[in-house]
Amino acid sequence: MHVPTAAEVAGAFGLGEPTGELVLVRRGDTDTWRLETDGGSYFVKGYWTETGGQFVAGGLTDQLRLAMAFEARALAAGMDMAEPIAPLEPVLGWATRIDDRLVRVNRWIESRGLEPDDDIAEWLGRTMAHVHRLQPVRATGLPDWWRTALRPRTDWEEWFAEARRRGKSWSGLAQGCLPQIIEATAGIEELCHDAPDCVTTHGDFKTHNLLITPRGPVLIDWDTVRVDSAALEAGRVAYIFGAGELEPMRRILTAYVEAGGELTWIGSDLFASVVRNQLQLLFEHVLVSLGHRPAARWMADPEQALTELLTALPGKLGLLSQSANNLP
């Protein structure tokens, strides 16, 4: 995969003369760099493309096309977000192609990451509500990606039986969790048919996608735009940023409702998206432990992680249900 030079990026986006080489910020699913030119400071993102530089249908380019269109809508609506720089010869939205790679640029934001003492509850609730109003989806039921975590009872029984036969240390924990797994799956399956409030949304409201600037928080990285239930995303985001604590979650969700967000229909299913994530993590780790699939790059110790997931599951599901019943 081609690593662009500072001169290539500056030339492709009309950014002036570079004053140094690209400085690596992060290497991962995308590579990011800082670029300094006589025209300013810039954040550069280089995408890993499919099949050796060929852009295939249903892959990266389709996702970016969807994401950048929504990002443009959010930018026009005045969201607190990074300023994109248009290339001189666009290939896809704000991206151009340098050799075999899609590259895009934003103006650099002087900022820091989110810290525990930062009070962003009101901003976060309000921003979510505004994002959720940008592009409603006129359909009932959840999108297909929700169903990837929903495995039939027979799958879980077969996996846990295999774990017992092979003497896996977590097999006893797994059998004890089976009733809760089946019950949680059934609840989410019902939501998959009935959820009434799907919207196009940012899709990755996480702490690492929030920058704190002198002018306030900024939401970055709009590449994972997707369709989701507004209320279920609000519940998940409140859980993440509130660290599962009742009062921080209440403040976020209160701000969300005051800004026009709707939670009245969700009831005790408020944290169903968190539950879904737990089921997804469980079956992925089970398959890795049993040798049915290779470990993902982010799995540091799949066996230990699986033991911890199963140990915590009953208590976590109970706490999520209790919290949902005590929130707006």
Side-chain angles (χ1 to χ4, degrees):
M1 183 65 67
H2 178 67
V3 177
T5 67
E8 285 176 325
V9 176
F13 288 83
L15 304 178
E17 289 297 319
T19 58
E21 291 304 313
L22 294 177
V23 176
L24 185 68
V25 174
R26 177 182 177 272
R27 185 170 180 83
D29 295 336
T30 58
D31 292 337
T32 59
W33 302 269
R34 182 168 183 168
L35 170 65
E36 299 284 349
T37 78
D38 58 11
S41 300
Y42 303 94
F43 180 81
V44 180
K45 178 180 285 189
Y47 296 93
W48 289 92
T49 55
E50 308 100 328
T51 61
Q54 299 301 309
F55 302 105
V56 298
L60 173 68
T61 49
D62 284 352
Q63 172 60 27
L64 289 181
R65 187 174 291 108
L66 167 71
M68 289 189 194
F70 188 72
E71 184 179 355
R73 188 183 291 248
L75 191 68
M79 296 294 169
D80 298 314
M81 55 196 298
E83 177 189 349
I85 305 296
L88 300 181
E89 297 182 6
V91 169
L92 178 65
W94 289 295
T96 193
R97 193 166 180 169
I98 298 178
D99 198 271
D100 62 350
R101 199 162 199 178
L102 282 177
V103 176
R104 68 169 294 180
V105 172
N106 290 85
R107 197 168 297 280
W108 184 268
I109 300 173
E110 291 299 335
S111 62
R112 59 173 173 80
L114 187 65
E115 296 178 355
D117 290 340
D118 291 322
D119 186 358
I120 62 159
E122 184 177 346
W123 177 91
L124 181 59
R126 182 179 70 250
T127 298
M128 266 199 303
H130 291 174
V131 170
H132 289 168
R133 285 201 298 271
L134 289 175
Q135 192 172 319
V137 176
R138 306 299 181 189
T140 299
L142 295 172
D144 288 343
W145 65 263
W146 264 81
R147 293 168 173 80
T148 60
L150 306 182
R151 315 300 293 209
R153 182 186 190 111
T154 52
D155 282 358
W156 293 105
E157 289 175 338
E158 288 174 8
W159 294 333
F160 293 169
E162 181 179 352
R164 288 196 303 276
R165 290 195 303 271
R166 296 172 56 179
K168 290 289 184 179
S169 60
W170 49 266
S171 61
L173 287 169
Q175 197 60 40
C177 287
L178 184 59
Q180 288 105 327
I181 292 171
I182 301 307
E183 182 180 0
T185 299
I188 294 174
E189 284 176 338
E190 186 173 342
L191 286 172
C192 282
H193 293 290
D194 298 341
D197 65 340
C198 278
V199 296
T200 303
T201 182
H202 177 278
D204 200 19
F205 281 93
K206 302 279 182 63
T207 55
H208 61 266
N209 284 333
L210 194 65
L211 301 180
I212 304 299
T213 78
R215 298 179 61 183
V218 172
L219 182 63
I220 62 170
D221 196 356
W222 293 68
D223 290 345
T224 53
V225 164
R226 63 185 181 184
V227 172
D228 199 356
S229 155
L232 291 173
E233 181 174 65
R236 180 178 69 251
V237 173
Y239 180 83
I240 292 169
F241 282 85
E245 297 293 328
L246 200 60
E247 284 311 310
M249 291 192 295
R250 176 176 285 116
R251 294 187 63 230
I252 293 167
L253 293 171
T254 296
Y256 178 75
V257 171
E258 289 177 348
E262 177 59 62
L263 297 176
T264 54
W265 73 273
I266 194 64
S268 61
D269 290 319
L270 178 64
F271 297 116
S273 188
V274 181
V275 175
R276 179 208 167 275
N277 179 253
Q278 291 298 296
L279 295 178
Q280 180 98 30
L281 288 173
L282 270 178
F283 93 76
E284 288 178 350
H285 280 82
V286 166
L287 293 182
V288 169
S289 177
L290 296 176
H292 295 179
R293 66 166 58 170
R297 286 181 298 173
W298 51 269
M299 292 182 179
D301 186 343
E303 295 288 325
Q304 179 62 30
L306 182 52
T307 298
E308 292 173 358
L309 283 166
L310 289 166
T311 300
L313 185 67
K316 186 162 190 173
L317 293 181
L319 185 59
L320 288 170
S321 178
Q322 180 181 356
S323 297
N325 291 323
N326 284 283
L327 286 168

